[in-house]
Amino acid sequence: MVRRTRAEMEETRATLLATARQVFSERGYADTSMDDLTAQAGLTRGALYHHFGEKKGLLAAVVEQIDAEMDERLQTISDTAEDGWEGFRSRCRAYLQMALEPEIQRIVLRDARAVLGGASPDSQRHCVESMQRLIDNLMRQGVVAKADSQALALLIYGSLAEAAFWIADGDDGNTRLAQGINALELLLRGLLVKQ
């Protein structure tokens, strides 16, 4: 029996993830066979089973990787904005715009929803907590009206997630994105402290 080093194991896992991400993006989850995927990666089915359990586990890992990248992009928008409110608005708009990016659209918004039932509970919780922190800060600044920040974060996150699915699901994604952003602006204006 050949023992593999930790570095070799991590490299195998990374290769499977990168290959699956490319193939799922090009062909979609349903049209990707495990044999084609492992052959393209230059690995065996045993490697896939060892690291991810099954094809569905591999999809979940790819979605987790893309979710982390999306979150990093959104956090950068918040962190680099000139003021908190503009950062919050820009972050929400960017989330909807990501629904038209082919990889996100196919893997995260179509395949993950169909196969995994949507985002993982951990991913959802992380998004809501991140949004809640932003809302709490905007309330402290007197920009957003006082309310339960967790309830607001859940409502906004849920609205954004459903709108992203709607944008990704249609043939007229650009039209749906424009409609979604207009509706988002109306929704967000309702959060502001009335002057």
Side-chain angles (χ1 to χ4, degrees):
M1 181 173 165
V2 176
R3 288 192 175 253
R4 302 193 68 197
T5 67
R6 181 182 202 118
E8 289 172 325
M9 297 292 280
E10 288 173 5
E11 184 180 333
T12 298
R13 187 177 196 284
T15 298
L16 283 166
L17 273 172
T19 304
R21 189 168 170 168
Q22 177 189 346
V23 175
F24 291 161
S25 183
E26 291 170 0
R27 297 185 210 160
Y29 177 85
D31 292 330
T32 300
S33 77
M34 288 196 313
D35 289 334
D36 289 345
L37 196 149
T38 53
Q40 188 163 333
L43 297 165
T44 64
R45 269 186 174 217
L48 188 146
Y49 290 131
H50 174 76
H51 289 280
F52 302 102
E54 60 184 342
K55 184 175 144 187
K56 189 175 177 179
L58 181 56
L59 175 63
V62 168
V63 169
E64 183 179 318
Q65 185 180 63
I66 296 171
D67 274 347
E69 291 168 8
M70 290 171 66
D71 185 57
E72 188 175 309
R73 288 170 58 189
L74 294 171
Q75 193 60 49
T76 298
I77 291 168
S78 299
D79 291 346
T80 59
E82 292 198 16
D83 73 70
W85 177 245
E86 282 309 310
F88 186 73
R89 286 179 60 226
S90 294
R91 180 184 178 126
C92 292
R93 283 193 308 269
Y95 184 83
L96 294 182
Q97 291 163 343
M98 287 179 189
L100 292 183
E101 294 179 24
E103 181 181 58
I104 292 171
Q105 187 177 75
R106 177 169 243 165
I107 296 173
V108 176
L109 298 174
R110 290 183 178 162
D111 287 347
R113 190 172 202 187
V115 177
L116 306 172
S120 73
D122 286 343
S123 175
Q124 290 175 348
R125 187 170 34 260
H126 176 75
C127 290
V128 170
E129 288 170 356
S130 177
M131 186 163 284
Q132 184 177 353
R133 284 190 299 274
L134 294 170
I135 291 169
D136 280 333
N137 189 40
L138 291 167
M139 285 181 186
R140 279 192 297 278
Q141 293 173 12
V143 175
V144 168
K146 296 286 184 192
D148 184 273
S149 61
Q150 184 179 24
L152 279 177
L154 285 162
L155 286 166
I156 296 167
Y157 167 77
S159 298
L160 288 171
E162 285 304 313
F165 288 127
W166 176 68
I167 291 165
D169 197 40
D171 293 333
D172 54 348
N174 288 319
T175 300
R176 288 182 177 203
L177 174 62
Q179 293 167 337
I181 287 176
N182 287 337
L184 172 67
E185 291 298 333
L186 179 62
L187 179 77
L188 294 181
R189 277 197 304 269
L191 300 177
L192 295 172
V193 170
K194 305 297 181 232
Q195 302 294 331

